[in-house]
């Protein structure tokens, strides 16, 4: 299933010189992970506090781009510079779901936007990521399948937030887009479970 996640290798190549510089300066993967999580929460809270001024939603696309860069950087520091750790694995997954929630929930404060549909998208985002994390528990890899993975959500929400800030999208269309996101997230959850089980079956020794 196509996903923006598949563009990650090319994105990493662009960031590699910066990652080398950060490593030389003593920056660790866990520091970057926590930094991305904290800034996501601060950004989400800031948007929620001023949600009546729709221009503030421009912070979402700006931060989504920077957050994707930081997520790529922490992964590269961990894998390519020997900084992988059990703590890092916990921080990576926990900070991601906290950041997702902090950046999705402020949309519910826009007048006439359905709180229920925003909460549904928030929960489905958590469940879909959890389904990916469960892969290693059943003998598969950590699943990042689409069509609505983390990178895809960042892109869609960034475009949506830009439209909101510029006054191009009203509450009705916001609800429609969130409804589509919810459907795609549900499919992503099923897709990750299905492909995880298929991977285990394919890797099982023949009788």
């Amino acid at each position: 299933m196509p996903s923006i996640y598949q563009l990650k290798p090319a994105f990493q190549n662009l960031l590699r010189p910066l990652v080398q510089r950060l490593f030389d300066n003593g920056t660790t993967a866990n520091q970057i992970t926590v930094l991305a999580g904290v800034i996501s929460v601060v950004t989400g809270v800031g948007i929620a506090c001023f949600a009546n001024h729709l221009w503030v939603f421009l912070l979402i696309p700006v931060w989504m781009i920077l957050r994707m860069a930081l997520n790529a950087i922490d992964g590269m520091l961990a894998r390519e510079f020997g900084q992988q750790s059990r703590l890092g694995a916990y921080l990576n997954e926990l900070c991601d779901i906290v950041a997702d929630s902090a950046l999705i929930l402020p949309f519910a404060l826009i007048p006439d936007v359905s709180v229920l549909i925003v909460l549904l998208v928030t929960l489905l985002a958590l469940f879909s990521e959890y389904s990916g994390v469960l892969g290693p528990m059943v003998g598969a890899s950590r699943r990042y399948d689409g069509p609505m993975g983390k990178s895809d959500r960042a892109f869609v929400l960034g475009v949506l937030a830009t439209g909101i800030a510029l006054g191009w999208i009203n509450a009705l269309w916001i609800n429609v887009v969130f409804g589509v996101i919810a459907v795609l997230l549900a499919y992503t959850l099923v897709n990750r479970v299905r492909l995880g089980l298929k991977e285990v079956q394919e890797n099982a020794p023949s009788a």
Side-chain angles (χ1 to χ4, degrees):
M1 179 61 61
S3 172
I4 292 175
Y5 182 79
Q6 294 166 347
L7 300 176
K8 189 174 181 179
F11 191 43
Q12 289 176 328
N13 289 335
L14 292 174
L15 293 172
R16 190 157 277 109
L18 174 60
V19 175
Q20 180 66 59
R21 198 170 299 119
L22 289 171
F23 174 74
D24 293 340
N25 291 336
T27 304
T28 68
N30 288 352
Q31 289 172 344
I32 297 295
T33 301
V34 173
L35 177 65
V38 170
I39 296 178
S40 293
V41 171
V42 171
T43 301
V45 171
I47 293 170
C49 290
F50 297 96
N52 56 315
H53 303 288
L54 295 183
W55 60 264
V56 78
F57 280 85
L58 278 176
L59 291 174
I60 288 182
V62 173
W63 173 239
M64 287 295 192
I65 294 171
L66 295 174
R67 180 190 168 203
M68 288 173 64
L70 290 175
N71 284 342
I73 288 170
D74 71 4
M76 293 168 71
L77 282 170
R79 289 187 304 273
E80 299 178 14
F81 295 91
Q83 296 184 359
Q84 289 179 313
S85 66
R86 293 182 178 89
L87 175 61
Y90 275 108
L91 289 175
N92 189 56
E93 299 296 345
L94 291 172
C95 286
D96 269 350
I97 60 175
V98 169
D100 269 354
S101 300
L103 295 170
I104 295 172
L105 289 172
F107 286 91
L109 299 176
I110 298 173
D112 299 322
V113 168
S114 170
V115 174
L116 290 179
I117 194 67
V118 174
L119 289 176
L120 178 61
V121 166
T122 304
L123 289 173
L124 285 172
L126 299 181
F127 296 156
S128 65
E129 291 308 308
Y130 190 59
S131 67
V133 172
L134 285 174
M137 185 177 293
V138 299
S141 60
R142 199 314 189 177
R143 304 301 310 186
Y144 294 98
D145 311 279
M148 192 52 64
K150 180 173 64 176
S151 300
D152 307 292
R153 289 196 302 275
F155 176 77
V156 173
L157 291 174
V159 171
L160 179 62
T162 300
I164 292 168
L166 297 177
W168 295 347
I169 301 176
N170 60 25
L172 173 62
W173 279 106
I174 297 171
N175 289 330
V176 170
V177 172
F178 266 87
V180 173
I181 294 173
V183 171
L184 293 176
L185 279 170
Y187 182 70
T188 298
L189 192 160
V190 172
N191 206 30
R192 290 181 176 184
V193 173
R194 179 178 63 84
L195 293 175
L197 293 174
K198 181 180 179 182
E199 180 185 349
V200 173
Q201 185 177 22
E202 290 175 346
N203 293 338
S206 302

